[in-house]
Amino acid sequence: MEKKTVFSGIQPSGELHLGNYYGAIQNWVRLQDRFDCVYCIVDYHAVTGRTGRESDKFQDPRHESLATMSVQMAGDLMACGIDPRRSILFVQSHVPEHTELAWVFSCVASHGDLTRMIQFKDKADRSDYVSVGLFIYPVLQAADILLYRAAKVPVGEDQVQHLELARRIGRRFNTLVGEEYFPEVEAELTAGKRIMSLADPAHKMSKSLGDKHYVGLMEEPDAIWKKVRSAVTDSGEQVGGEMSPGVANLFEILRLTGAVDDVVDGFKAQHAAGKIRYGDLKTAVQDHIMRVLDPIRERRSRMSDDEIRDTLAAGAARASEIAKATMAGVRARVGVGPPPR
Ligand code: TRP
């Protein structure tokens, strides 16, 4: 039986953190056992982040180029367990059919639907310059997915609306050409709670909050300990009371990083009795984080940029084959491209 295709994308945003790992990447790694997976570093999507202000430059000397960040991201993903021998790992701009199909889809998608995208509204409200690219961001996302006829797309809650739009675009394309050319895509929601910021557990872990809020996967153990040690908790004295968000977050990290039940239950009992020592809990959290991160950092340190670039070139070649075939079919159905002789 043919395996279904899974597709997902991630922006080359720099260093991955624990929230990304447990919120997405670990799931990507596991899906490789059951599906043909295509994982894409979406650099063209990231361009929208560099054009949100009148004063922005595509290439700002204060930031790495998207090309450099894409190589970094690919290395980090492989260190986490994305296996380029089994899955296709590539960079979006290396396969130009993504943007080509996005144009066709921009002629298929409804303007009204796009104006209802929550992420667009949020970002547009916070930007002083709103590009058309930001507006049609989800159209490019639909092209990413449908180029590979993916059936499943692992994403977080915040992308469900974009996935629904991709389905609508696929359906409308099918109606326009009178044929089921694109399959139905389905979001595969990543289970499990989100990891929250260590310094402000009301918000989910994210780099944009600032350095002390997240644990980078490639950070030095000392730097991580500094953040874990100063993570927000509470006084620890209320008996049987509800767990504060910061403490609940530490327990969640402990569970996700694979602490055995005995360890977690022991701390829970101490907490319920109002006798927990947060220093001990944090030491356990740090130990378990490092047990997960040590092998990842080790694998990453053995990779060279050249090696990663070669892997990405091979990934783009495999992706191209599929993308070219899909796009040839699209051109033929739209009635453009060189006429057949
Ligand atoms: N918009 C997604 C995000 O911000 C990234 C993305 C781009 C994506 N294209 C995709 C995710 C295709 C899944 C499928 O997380």
Side-chain angles (χ1 to χ4, degrees), residues 199-216:
D200 181 0
H203 296 99
K204 70 173 194 193
M205 184 174 279
S206 126
K207 284 204 335 184
S208 56
L209 293 172
D211 190 59
K212 59 183 187 199
H213 294 265
Y214 70 92
V215 173

Side-chain angles (χ1 to χ4, degrees), residues 243-285:
M243 224 179 250
S244 69
V247 175
N249 193 36
L250 290 175
F251 271 105
E252 179 67 3
I253 295 175
L254 201 56
R255 188 182 68 78
L256 286 169
T257 49
V260 290
D261 289 348
D262 286 0
V263 173
V264 180
D265 291 348
F267 281 117
K268 284 220 165 119
Q270 291 173 14
H271 181 269
K275 288 192 180 131
I276 192 163
R277 285 170 40 189
Y278 287 134
D280 295 347
L281 175 65
K282 286 172 174 178
T283 303
V285 167

Side-chain angles (χ1 to χ4, degrees), residues 39-339:
Y39 295 129
C40 181
I41 297 166
V42 291
D43 55 349
Y44 269 139
H45 278 108
V47 172
T48 60
R50 297 198 163 189
T51 51
R53 275 176 314 225
E54 207 70 67
S55 61
D56 278 340
K57 298 273 181 291
F58 281 131
Q59 307 226 41
D60 181 329
R62 286 171 308 164
H63 303 292
E64 310 251 45
S65 74
L66 289 172
T68 304
M69 289 169 82
S70 297
V71 171
Q72 250 173 41
M73 178 61 81
D76 292 359
L77 290 173
M78 287 191 273
C80 289
I82 301 300
D83 178 0
R85 285 163 305 186
R86 287 196 285 166
S87 305
I88 299 180
L89 176 65
F90 74 107
V91 179
Q92 187 184 38
S93 69
H94 302 184
V95 180
E97 282 77 11
H98 286 251
T99 42
E100 187 178 356
L101 184 57
W103 173 257
V104 176
F105 281 176
S106 76
C107 302
V108 173
S110 138
H111 180 276
D113 282 351
L114 286 175
T115 59
R116 284 185 281 278
M117 292 294 123
I118 295 161
Q119 201 167 59
F120 170 73
K121 285 195 276 188
D122 280 356
K123 288 205 174 149
D125 282 347
R126 284 186 280 117
S127 313
D128 62 41
Y129 187 90
V130 180
S131 69
V132 173
L134 185 68
F135 186 59
I136 66 165
Y137 176 113
V139 174
L140 179 58
Q141 184 166 349
D144 294 340
I145 297 163
L146 292 174
L147 260 187
Y148 303 91
R149 297 199 151 74
K152 279 181 182 296
V153 182
V155 282
E157 196 75 61
D158 62 333
Q159 294 298 311
V160 170
Q161 202 187 20
H162 288 171
L163 267 250
E164 184 51 39
L165 183 80
R167 289 155 72 101
R168 286 170 72 95
I169 291 174
R171 273 194 212 132
R172 176 128 205 280
F173 183 92
N174 291 348
T175 306
L176 286 166
V177 303
E179 174 189 353
E180 291 298 297
Y181 189 67
F182 289 115
E184 290 269 310
V185 280
E186 186 181 65
E188 153 129 342
L189 277 188
T190 313
K193 266 200 335 214
R194 298 263 169 158
I195 293 190
M196 310 307 282
S197 150
L198 294 177
D200 181 0
H203 296 99
K204 70 173 194 193
M205 184 174 279
S206 126
K207 284 204 335 184
S208 56
L209 293 172
D211 190 59
K212 59 183 187 199
H213 294 265
Y214 70 92
V215 173
L217 298 190
M218 306 301 160
E219 274 188 89
E220 293 298 328
D222 287 353
I224 296 178
W225 175 234
K226 230 174 161 179
K227 296 179 187 185
V228 170
R229 199 183 50 203
S230 47
V232 170
T233 51
D234 53 44
S235 68
E237 282 155 12
Q238 60 278 49
V239 178
E242 217 173 84
M243 224 179 250
S244 69
V247 175
N249 193 36
L250 290 175
F251 271 105
E252 179 67 3
I253 295 175
L254 201 56
R255 188 182 68 78
L256 286 169
T257 49
V260 290
D261 289 348
D262 286 0
V263 173
V264 180
D265 291 348
F267 281 117
K268 284 220 165 119
Q270 291 173 14
H271 181 269
K275 288 192 180 131
I276 192 163
R277 285 170 40 189
Y278 287 134
D280 295 347
L281 175 65
K282 286 172 174 178
T283 303
V285 167
Q286 173 76 7
D287 283 352
H288 284 85
I289 289 178
M290 291 326 300
R291 267 188 236 177
V292 172
L293 295 191
D294 280 340
I296 294 179
R297 280 154 36 99
E298 212 269 317
R299 275 198 295 276
R300 184 69 177 89
S301 69
R302 283 189 273 115
M303 283 177 215
S304 73
D305 280 1
D306 279 346
E307 216 180 301
I308 300 169
R309 282 197 196 94
D310 288 347
T311 303
L312 287 174
R318 286 169 70 196
S320 267
E321 244 178 75
I322 306 170
K324 280 199 171 111
T326 306
M327 199 56 221
V330 168
R331 281 190 219 102
R333 283 162 180 78
V334 174
V336 296

